[in-house]
Amino acid sequence: HTHTHTQLLDCSRRRGVCSRSPFTILHCRYQRLACQARLRESSEQIAAMRRGLTAIIPTPLIRMWTAAELELAVCGTPDIPVDELRRTARYSIDREAPEVAFMFEALEGMSNEDRSLFLRFVTGRARLPASIKICSLNGSASSLPVSHTCFNQIDIPQYESAEQAEEKIHYAIANTRTMDTDYHPRGEQFDLDQ
């Protein structure tokens, strides 16, 4: 963390501030300058964010949104209702297949935090909106689900119960905290038991 120092007043001449009169002209000037400095200290970063955002979304469209709508579009919502996941999902498997029903039943029993981990596991994104694709995974019912974050896709085995689906999904989402464990920029190792 670096600290920036901004000189607010010319200190080449010593000026006294009377302790009995804290609201002298000098004190008021200092307060005004301190407020201006604080209000402008992030101007460069905000301008960079604005340039990046307007490179993707034209300024006239951004102006049509309220602050809350823009935040939702950029950040998503932290609340992850299972009905929303079910409604927006794409299927390359029969949507009535037992393993699909077991997966959604398992998600309904999870906390919102666990559903957020599930979404991160499948999409690389921890918030909605995100549309997932559900595919079948060949293999035994004791297999873990497989995700493809580039495609927002989860491949699910033919689970035999919601409990089994929850156990396997929970293990997968709790033990895959990073999208790419092959790339370690500083040589760090990932302990999957944490």
Side-chain angles (χ1 to χ4, degrees):
H1 215 7
T2 61
H3 298 283
T4 304
H5 298 281
T6 303
Q7 183 175 342
L8 298 176
L9 294 172
D10 180 10
C11 295
S12 60
R13 293 180 287 157
R14 294 186 59 80
R15 298 179 184 177
V17 177
C18 177
S19 61
R20 290 179 289 180
S21 178
F23 295 105
T24 62
I25 293 173
L26 179 61
H27 187 79
C28 289
R29 184 170 174 225
Y30 173 80
Q31 284 181 327
R32 184 175 44 78
L33 292 170
C35 285
Q36 286 175 356
R38 290 304 305 254
L39 290 172
R40 294 181 183 142
E41 69 186 356
S42 300
S43 296
E44 194 174 319
Q45 292 85 354
I46 291 170
M49 288 172 40
R50 184 179 295 122
R51 282 191 306 273
L53 184 61
T54 57
I56 298 168
I57 304 169
T59 304
L61 291 179
I62 293 173
R63 289 188 177 135
M64 292 173 55
W65 289 343
T66 65
E69 290 169 333
L70 181 60
E71 179 183 13
L72 180 62
V74 173
C75 301
T77 178
D79 185 37
I80 303 170
V82 176
D83 289 338
E84 178 75 9
L85 285 175
R86 186 181 285 119
R87 187 180 62 76
T88 60
R90 295 169 289 128
Y91 300 86
S92 69
I93 181 176
D94 180 8
R95 67 177 56 226
E96 304 299 324
E99 58 267 33
V100 173
F102 294 147
M103 182 192 77
F104 282 120
E105 189 177 332
L107 289 172
E108 286 171 353
M110 292 182 182
S111 68
N112 197 60
E113 183 179 342
D114 284 343
R115 286 193 297 269
S116 178
L117 288 174
F118 171 80
L119 204 57
R120 184 179 299 257
F121 173 72
V122 178
T123 68
R125 179 183 168 105
R127 293 174 168 225
L128 291 176
S131 177
I132 63 173
K133 181 177 182 183
I134 303 170
C135 300
S136 181
L137 178 66
N138 292 329
S140 75
S142 63
S143 299
L144 294 171
V146 175
S147 70
H148 308 277
T149 56
C150 291
F151 304 107
N152 294 349
Q153 177 178 321
I154 184 167
D155 300 343
I156 53 173
Q158 294 180 351
Y159 294 128
E160 298 167 352
S161 69
E163 293 77 21
Q164 183 184 36
E166 183 173 3
E167 175 191 348
K168 299 301 181 181
I169 291 170
H170 194 268
Y171 184 87
I173 66 176
N175 290 291
T176 51
R177 301 285 176 150
T178 182
M179 287 177 43
D180 185 1
T181 57
D182 294 332
Y183 177 68
H184 306 292
R186 290 181 294 277
E188 65 258 63
Q189 297 297 311
F190 295 96
D191 183 1
L192 295 180
D193 292 329
Q194 291 184 358

